[in-house]
Amino acid sequence: MLSTIYALLFYAATILFVVGLARRIRKYARTPAPLKIPTTPAPITRGGVVLRMLREVLFFESLFKSNKWIWLFGWTFHMALWLILARHIRYFTADTPLWLGLIQPFGKYAGFAMVAGLAGLWARRVLVDRIRYISNPSDHLILVLLIAIGLSGLTMKFVAHTDILAVKAFMRGLFVLQINPLPTDPLIHIHLALVVLLMIIFPISKLLHAPGVFFSPTRNQVDNPREKRHLAPWAAKLEG
Amino acid sequence: MADGEIPKLDDPLQVPCLKPGAMDGLQPFLASPEHNAKLGFPGELLPDWKERALAKMEELASKNRAFQVYLDICVKCGACTDKCHYFLGTADPKNMPVARQDLLRSVYRRYFTFAGKYFPWLVGARDLTEEVLKEWYSYYHQCSECRRCSVYCPYGIDTAEITMAAREILASVGMGQKYANEIIGKVHDVGNNLGLNPKALRATLEDLEEDIEDDTGVSVRLPLDEKGADILLITPSADFFAEPHIDGLIGYAKVFHQAGVSWTLSSYASEAANFGLFIGNYENMRLVSQRIRKAALDLGVKRIIFGECGHAWRVAYSYLNTLAGPWDFLDPNYPVPQHILEFTWGEIQKGYLKFDKSQNDHMTLTYHDSCNVARGSRMGDTPGGQFEIPRNVIKAVCNNYVDMDRDTIHESTVCCGGGGGLLTDDLMDLRVKGASPRMTALQQVSESDGVTHMAAICAICKTQFSKVMPKYGYDMDSIVSVHQLVSNAIILDGQETDDADAAEAEE
């Protein structure tokens, strides 16, 4: 029964996540940027913009310029999250490819780094008066959600193992519309429920920063306004 | 609110403790109904203002990707919270960039997002009320659209984009700002911010020609409306009458003279400034820009060069091609438009200009990077040319030059405190406070290196500093134009100088 509920939850969450995100991305992509507004100095070639964006999303360059503490906690959390997500692929694939085996030792412990980073961010949100001022309940709760996902996962990895083969069978079953039983221990239920919640809120919350950053005109525009005329479709109509 | 106090900072970027409400209620004068109507806005607040405001917000989100994306993606990380000079100077938390954005984002969330519609308390969403509208009017006129926050945001969120949209929404419900709207009206009517008519302009230029001849013994022209000239100079109208701006204009004229190029000003497009940028209104910004296109066509020029003006250079460099292009009727060998410093630096590199640097020896100089030039434009062929070229020119004409604190120059420059349509006396308290980071950085180099003067290439910066520098212990003429320094040092052919030998020795 519980397995069926979780299976349905995963299907629903996946649809909401994928459709919600796709609609948002389509909106960003279709909304024109009427003017050239890169924050200068900016790259003067498309290739330069790709590098700028890579530095931004891989190293959080601007955040590094801004505040070393936020950078340290934020970068640690995000990079650990990527490792953990990659490591989790093994729960969806029939056999484990070599690269997954190679990252496994790091991915295993990345959970600690992720929770530490999140704890640092939350501490700042509570302790620094400026950041406390700009925080809404949702800003705290998203951190709580991520920390809870991390802690429940870590507990299963290092304290109370769940039947991971059963979990894998459940996950792989979802791909072929087959509901296999989940283990009965509460930790895995909590962990999965929180992940489902995260997927659902992703397209309707500030988590949209993940796709959104790629559409930020101050970061993704080439600095070439004198060489190339930039004109939005709605602005072209004014020329009549 | 507004206590008139002058902030004392130990460090230019010292972060204050929050003082909620410190600048509550401060607001510039509202534009009169005629001035609003002239720009195509309702004269005053209409009964259905709320529906109109929300409709405008939706429209802008559909027409401007930056506005839509930035409303959605802020994660409230806090990176920008200590980056605004108005926050540093006033300690009012609503002057933190993210908090300023949230004044509008909270309303966006309430009406346009799932979470805000059904769980407003969770995401800080709030109804649009008349109080909110007044709060917008107040705090979106405490932002100079300088983009310093956008440098530090991990997503490049630019508060200027939100401020411009907010001002556009306010204007669309009849709450335009007097200072900006009156000025745009004058440009539409007369061609410049001052309302200076062609006759008065011609008289001013003739006076300047006489002054230069008295000074140097050389006849240097300041041509107006001369058809067939090669270069059209578009310069802020403050250059025609204000100090130290006018000394910069004399500098441009001397450089053009010595370079041997033919140039002209236009009485129809006698204004580089474009306050359409400040009110965030594309249509008005476009109309103002179109005057330059018409002037260039009517006069049959081959090139366009802009004088020293910060936001004007942003509009010129980044937008002019969009708003008034294509420029295919001009000489393709030159970028359109060019900055006067690009021109002067080019002539210096070619060795066409001779200087007596000792003419500036009574000063030790530093340079204030104007926000719109630093973060919204470029000069030259490589990124960062907007920082190097002005400094190169200053160093070519002055012996004593020192930079201010690294964190307050180049892309990290702090605004003068008067940009973005705030250069009005009704906001003087804010202007003085907002200048404190820059003034503190200046005081540091005054103490450590004996800096006496600060050079700038923005009409607004120059006016703002000549007003607020006395409050920080400097003379009002401690702010100088870069081309004023050029003007002091340049040796014109045939010029009578006391120390012609010294200049020759330097070559």
Side-chain angles (χ1 to χ4, degrees):
Chain A
M1 177 62 190
L2 211 50
S3 301
T4 312
I5 291 173
Y6 269 90
L8 294 176
L9 276 176
F10 262 105
Y11 286 132
T14 305
I15 290 168
L16 287 172
F17 177 81
V18 171
V19 174
L21 211 53
R23 286 178 48 147
R24 217 62 204 162
I25 289 173
R26 193 176 62 177
K27 188 176 185 68
Y28 296 157
R30 286 190 176 176
T31 306
L35 293 165
K36 281 284 204 164
I37 60 165
T39 308
T40 59
I44 55 177
T45 60
R46 196 36 48 210
V49 164
V50 170
L51 284 179
R52 180 186 205 177
M53 193 58 87
L54 281 176
R55 289 198 306 276
E56 210 59 91
V57 299
L58 293 181
F59 304 114
F60 298 7
E61 182 181 41
S62 298
L63 188 57
F64 186 79
K65 284 182 201 165
S66 169
N67 185 304
K68 300 294 185 280
W69 285 112
I70 305 178
W71 178 85
L72 178 70
F73 295 136
W75 189 81
T76 303
F77 153 56
H78 281 86
M79 294 308 130
L81 180 64
W82 283 117
L83 254 180
I84 292 164
L85 285 173
R87 192 184 80 80
H88 275 66
I89 290 173
R90 62 167 51 228
Y91 304 135
F92 300 87
T93 54
D95 36 42
T96 308
L98 179 67
W99 68 271
L100 265 182
L102 289 176
I103 64 163
Q104 176 67 4
F106 306 100
K108 234 169 100 173
Y109 295 98
F112 293 101
M114 172 177 133
V115 172
L118 287 164
L121 289 174
W122 198 14
R124 287 189 60 81
R125 202 170 279 294
V126 175
L127 299 174
V128 178
D129 62 350
R130 301 191 311 278
I131 306 182
R132 190 169 62 240
Y133 180 91
I134 58 167
S135 297
N136 294 127
S138 58
D139 299 311
H140 291 282
L141 289 172
I142 284 180
L143 287 171
V144 172
L145 175 63
L146 287 163
I147 289 173
I149 290 172
L151 287 179
S152 56
L154 280 173
T155 310
M156 282 186 287
K157 188 79 211 163
F158 293 99
V159 183
H161 285 283
T162 188
D163 180 356
I164 197 65
L165 290 176
V167 176
K168 183 165 177 164
F170 171 80
M171 284 298 168
R172 289 183 52 73
L174 294 181
F175 289 109
V176 290
L177 302 179
Q178 179 188 329
I179 299 171
N180 297 320
L182 267 176
T184 50
D185 61 305
L187 270 175
I188 186 67
H189 293 129
I190 292 170
H191 190 69
L192 293 181
L194 295 176
V195 170
V196 163
L197 183 60
L198 185 69
M199 288 166 73
I200 292 171
I201 65 168
F202 202 103
I204 54 168
S205 70
K206 68 177 185 179
L207 301 177
L208 282 170
H209 70 275
V213 63
F214 296 101
F215 294 94
S216 172
T218 61
R219 292 292 181 270
N220 75 9
Q221 286 186 340
V222 182
D223 175 18
N224 62 353
R226 289 195 289 196
E227 292 76 25
K228 196 163 178 286
R229 187 159 188 240
H230 175 92
L231 197 64
W234 65 259
K237 288 187 191 135
L238 297 175
E239 311 216 322
Chain B
M1 65 163 270
D3 52 18
E5 228 174 81
I6 296 166
K8 288 266 177 294
L9 312 180
D10 300 326
D11 176 273
L13 303 176
Q14 184 189 331
V15 182
C17 290
L18 301 187
K19 273 193 233 159
M23 298 302 278
D24 247 2
L26 176 80
Q27 54 172 44
F29 297 132
L30 284 162
S32 68
E34 310 86 82
H35 286 121
N36 285 334
K38 188 179 227 165
L39 306 193
F41 301 122
E44 49 202 344
L45 201 59
L46 302 159
D48 62 342
W49 63 268
K50 190 171 158 181
E51 290 71 29
R52 280 173 180 257
L54 292 172
K56 191 54 149 182
M57 192 184 289
E58 192 171 14
E59 182 199 327
L60 292 177
S62 73
K63 284 165 82 173
N64 182 352
R65 181 186 291 169
F67 185 54
Q68 173 65 64
V69 171
Y70 296 160
L71 284 175
D72 277 353
I73 69 172
C74 174
V75 301
K76 318 289 176 86
C77 73
C80 64
T81 53
D82 56 353
K83 303 299 184 253
C84 175
H85 54 291
Y86 290 121
F87 170 66
L88 298 178
T90 68
D92 189 319
K94 287 178 189 162
N95 278 330
M96 298 189 293
V98 47
R100 193 187 312 285
Q101 296 162 22
D102 277 353
L103 299 175
L104 194 143
R105 187 180 284 118
S106 55
V107 173
Y108 165 77
R109 285 185 170 172
R110 183 73 181 98
Y111 295 95
F112 300 106
T113 69
F114 175 84
K117 277 179 195 163
Y118 301 103
F119 309 97
W121 52 274
L122 190 65
V123 293
R126 58 180 185 163
D127 291 335
L128 180 55
T129 64
E130 218 162 320
E131 280 68 49
V132 170
L133 208 60
K134 281 187 188 140
E135 192 182 37
W136 284 0
Y137 190 76
S138 175
Y139 284 96
Y140 286 116
H141 288 102
Q142 298 187 43
C143 166
S144 58
E145 305 173 346
C146 84
R147 316 183 88 206
R148 189 165 192 268
C149 46
S150 86
V151 170
Y152 297 100
C153 173
Y155 318 114
I157 296 175
D158 181 4
T159 308
E161 291 294 312
I162 309 287
T163 291
M164 289 170 188
R167 290 186 189 175
E168 168 99 335
I169 293 167
L170 286 163
S172 77
V173 298
M175 285 180 75
Q177 183 214 19
K178 178 173 189 274
Y179 172 68
N181 285 9
E182 276 188 19
I183 279 179
I184 297 171
K186 276 187 223 164
V187 179
H188 290 329
D189 284 346
V190 189
N192 57 62
N193 287 6
L194 300 171
L196 201 62
N197 65 44
K199 214 175 135 197
L201 181 55
R202 188 174 298 278
T204 305
L205 297 174
E206 281 167 5
D207 284 352
L208 284 177
E209 289 177 348
E210 279 175 33
D211 289 349
I212 299 173
E213 186 152 10
D214 289 349
D215 246 26
T216 63
V218 180
S219 163
V220 172
R221 300 201 53 227
L222 282 106
L224 181 67
D225 294 333
E226 288 200 355
K227 287 201 174 179
D230 284 344
I231 295 170
L232 170 62
L233 177 74
I234 304 287
T235 206
S237 55
D239 281 2
F240 301 130
F241 84 107
E243 287 285 352
H245 313 56
I246 201 161
D247 301 306
L249 176 62
I250 292 171
Y252 320 149
K254 287 183 179 175
V255 169
F256 285 142
H257 174 90
Q258 195 58 25
V261 294
S262 76
W263 67 287
T264 185
L265 288 154
S266 156
S267 61
Y268 177 77
S270 45
E271 181 61 71
N274 192 331
F275 280 27
L277 175 75
F278 297 157
I279 65 167
N281 185 268
Y282 188 97
E283 288 78 5
N284 273 287
M285 190 158 63
R286 179 169 177 275
L287 285 175
V288 173
S289 297
Q290 287 282 335
R291 296 183 78 92
I292 297 169
R293 181 181 183 86
K294 183 167 175 349
L297 283 166
D298 289 349
L299 295 168
V301 296
K302 300 196 179 85
R303 305 163 65 177
I304 298 174
I305 293 184
F306 271 70
E308 296 181 6
C309 185
H311 83 281
W313 181 240
R314 181 179 184 193
V315 176
Y317 174 85
S318 295
Y319 306 161
L320 206 65
N321 204 1
T322 298
L323 298 170
W327 296 103
D328 40 16
F329 60 92
L330 297 176
D331 186 341
N333 293 314
Y334 302 96
V336 183
Q338 272 183 298
H339 195 280
I340 184 69
L341 277 163
E342 294 180 310
F343 180 82
T344 301
W345 178 234
E347 296 300 303
I348 292 174
Q349 284 179 305
K350 284 186 254 169
Y352 291 176
L353 306 179
K354 280 180 246 151
F355 299 107
D356 173 9
K357 293 167 89 168
S358 70
Q359 294 297 326
N360 287 314
D361 276 356
H362 59 292
M363 296 180 266
T364 297
L365 283 140
T366 191
Y367 175 69
H368 166 77
D369 288 284
S370 296
C371 52
N372 277 298
V373 176
R375 292 182 284 259
S377 79
R378 174 161 57 98
M379 288 180 205
D381 300 328
T382 49
Q386 67 269 38
F387 312 132
E388 301 313 319
I389 290 176
R391 285 174 173 79
N392 290 346
V393 169
I394 295 173
K395 287 172 186 168
V397 301
C398 299
N399 285 312
N400 314 313
Y401 178 81
V402 181
D403 261 327
M404 287 178 279
D405 184 337
R406 187 66 187 76
D407 293 330
T408 70
I409 59 170
H410 292 192
E411 67 171 355
S412 307
T413 189
V414 280
C415 165
C416 65
L422 309 184
L423 192 75
T424 169
D425 284 350
D426 34 329
L427 293 173
M428 188 52 84
D429 182 50
L430 178 78
R431 287 167 52 188
V432 171
K433 290 185 159 92
S436 58
R438 170 50 75 226
M439 289 294 98
T440 308
L442 177 62
Q443 284 161 347
Q444 283 182 339
V445 285
S446 287
E447 282 166 30
S448 60
D449 299 274
V451 167
T452 58
H453 290 73
M454 182 163 72
I457 54 166
C458 166
I460 287 174
C461 294
K462 293 172 197 173
T463 303
Q464 157 76 352
F465 285 131
S466 65
K467 273 275 173 73
V468 304
M469 282 175 92
K471 299 195 192 298
Y472 288 89
Y474 291 89
D475 291 338
M476 64 181 289
D477 59 4
S478 303
I479 177 75
V480 297
S481 299
V482 169
H483 272 80
Q484 174 181 356
L485 304 171
V486 174
S487 172
N488 290 346
I490 196 167
I491 302 168
L492 303 173
D493 289 341
Q495 181 169 349
E496 307 141 7
T497 52
D498 325 323
D499 39 16
D501 301 338
E504 267 166 35
E506 234 176 69
E507 276 172 38

